[in-house]
Amino acid sequence: MKALLLQGPNTAFELVEMPDPIAGPGEAVARVITCGSGLTIQHIKAGRRAAKFPRIIGHEITAEIVAVGPAVTGLAVGDGVTAYYYLNCGYCGWCLANLEPLCVNTGGNVGSDCDGGYAEYIKLPAHIFIKLPEGLDYKAHPAEIGIITDAVATPYKVLRRARIKPGETIAIFGAGGGVGIHQVMMAKWARARVIAIDVAVEKFDACRKAGADVVLDPGSCDVVAAMLDLTSGAGVDVVIDYVSATSTLEAGVKALGRHGRLVTLGGAGQPFRVSAREMLAKEQDLLGSRYVTRNEILETFAIVARGEVWPLVTDVRPLRQAEAIHEQLERGEVTGRAALRIAG
């Protein structure tokens, strides 16, 4: 099979021929149609996120099962599938409670601890594959369907984690990013008032099209003062921070109103200071939100299948142009998601 191989961090992709994977007991092999290209895997390529090299990266796949190993049930050749990002065990207490991101026996992640979707075929433990529902036409829209498991499902989880209600005011730091712009979309789907915050002013039009009521550039205004002004001094109900730098987290906390919730996801993950007195007085919540559960993926599939939201993919290219896509990701020039077309 053809595959894009990374020999180490901060190296160029090598387009190589590798043996086709063979499904062993409890495993399945799928033919990859498309694979999403986002910052998570660019961080691996750039050496900012740990991985075991040499490695085939990528996890936002649309694929079809071509082989199943012994003792595999629930999958058949020809099934349209995607992949769960975490290599969860499936049998610990957290997995059985449908809280797979907290699995105590995790094997890591698809595309960093095992080979991922930047190849013609992918082999995974069979339970890591997720069958695509009939309501999603993955053959007509493989790139869009493949990114749902991360770029759309993650924001959907945040709506639940932050208990977002219709009419609330939601501020999103990093709103122009690949997941951030889908958070704008999902917050508007939840009938919230959305404030999009980003330094990439060239992405403001896309944020507005995704549903932002207001856009703010922290490089040209005092965002805390602006958020307080936009809420008549009451403060916002929820801050969602995809940047998670000290400056954005502290700004977010200062802009929270009574019973406000701040959610941090990924990004820089830097420490920040918060007033315990203010948290107490206003009964505020500081929350972390990891990757999604399988149930949340299935619920997001249903939302997309009903046509209530649609993933934003703005650039789909063949394998040989992966390097150019990742250069654009590194420069922050991709709006929504990009993807590689693997098959065909």
Side-chain angles (χ1 to χ4, degrees), residues 10-195:
N10 203 27
T11 59
F13 289 112
E14 296 179 13
L15 185 57
V16 299
E17 287 284 346
M18 299 179 66
D20 292 352
I22 298 172
E27 297 176 332
V29 174
R31 179 181 65 92
V32 182
I33 302 170
T34 59
C35 185
S37 303
L39 269 180
T40 297
I41 60 175
Q42 171 56 20
H43 289 327
I44 295 173
K45 186 177 188 297
R48 293 185 293 266
R49 188 182 179 101
K52 300 172 183 176
F53 294 99
R55 179 60 66 221
I56 300 168
I57 62 173
H59 59 277
E60 293 178 323
I61 63 167
T62 293
E64 289 183 340
I65 298 295
V66 295
V68 295
V72 171
T73 59
L75 284 178
V77 171
D79 284 344
V81 294
T82 186
Y84 190 66
Y85 179 44
Y86 284 13
L87 295 166
N88 69 299
C89 71
Y91 56 80
C92 73
W94 293 105
C95 288
L96 294 176
N98 296 318
L99 293 169
E100 299 94 341
L102 301 178
C103 174
V104 295
N105 302 309
T106 179
N109 304 118
V110 175
S112 58
D113 297 279
C114 73
D115 284 334
Y118 274 18
E120 291 182 307
Y121 296 96
I122 182 172
K123 179 178 75 171
L124 294 169
H127 74 279
I128 299 300
F129 285 111
I130 301 174
K131 289 175 65 173
L132 296 170
E134 291 184 2
L136 294 176
D137 190 348
Y138 72 88
K139 292 183 179 180
H141 306 284
E144 288 81 4
I145 302 309
I147 72 164
I148 294 173
T149 55
D150 191 347
V152 187
T154 297
Y156 172 72
K157 174 183 177 173
V158 173
L159 299 180
R160 301 175 58 169
R161 187 88 174 100
R163 308 183 304 279
I164 291 172
K165 298 184 288 293
E168 290 192 314
T169 298
I170 315 301
I172 302 166
F173 282 92
V179 183
I181 203 161
H182 287 94
Q183 186 72 69
V184 172
M185 191 184 299
M186 294 306 297
K188 182 53 63 175
W189 171 82
R191 293 179 289 164
R193 181 192 185 203
V194 183
I195 302 171

Side-chain angles (χ1 to χ4, degrees), residues 246 249-251 253-254 270-276 286:
T246 300
L249 290 163
E250 291 183 354
V253 169
K254 290 175 183 176
Q270 294 178 350
F272 66 106
R273 295 174 64 88
V274 60
S275 167
L286 303 182

Side-chain angles (χ1 to χ4, degrees), residues 272-292:
F272 66 106
R273 295 174 64 88
V274 60
S275 167
R277 188 180 299 276
E278 283 290 303
M279 285 184 63
L280 172 63
K282 296 181 179 179
E283 292 194 339
Q284 296 169 334
D285 294 348
L286 303 182
L287 303 165
S289 186
R290 299 182 66 178
Y291 185 56
V292 297

Side-chain angles (χ1 to χ4, degrees), residues 174-295:
V179 183
I181 203 161
H182 287 94
Q183 186 72 69
V184 172
M185 191 184 299
M186 294 306 297
K188 182 53 63 175
W189 171 82
R191 293 179 289 164
R193 181 192 185 203
V194 183
I195 302 171
I197 305 169
D198 207 293
V199 296
V201 296
E202 67 275 8
K203 295 185 178 180
F204 281 180
D205 283 345
C207 288
R208 292 187 184 96
K209 289 177 182 177
D213 298 286
V214 181
V215 293
L216 297 176
D217 172 14
S220 62
C221 73
D222 181 332
V223 289
V224 175
M227 285 189 276
L228 292 174
D229 183 61
L230 288 164
T231 55
S232 302
V236 300
D237 298 294
V238 178
V239 171
I240 303 168
D241 194 344
Y242 283 97
V243 179
S244 294
T246 300
S247 59
T248 59
L249 290 163
E250 291 183 354
V253 169
K254 290 175 183 176
L256 280 182
R258 287 177 172 80
H259 220 250
R261 289 87 74 198
L262 180 143
V263 185
T264 176
L265 301 95
Q270 294 178 350
F272 66 106
R273 295 174 64 88
V274 60
S275 167
R277 188 180 299 276
E278 283 290 303
M279 285 184 63
L280 172 63
K282 296 181 179 179
E283 292 194 339
Q284 296 169 334
D285 294 348
L286 303 182
L287 303 165
S289 186
R290 299 182 66 178
Y291 185 56
V292 297
T293 66
R294 290 168 184 268
N295 281 344

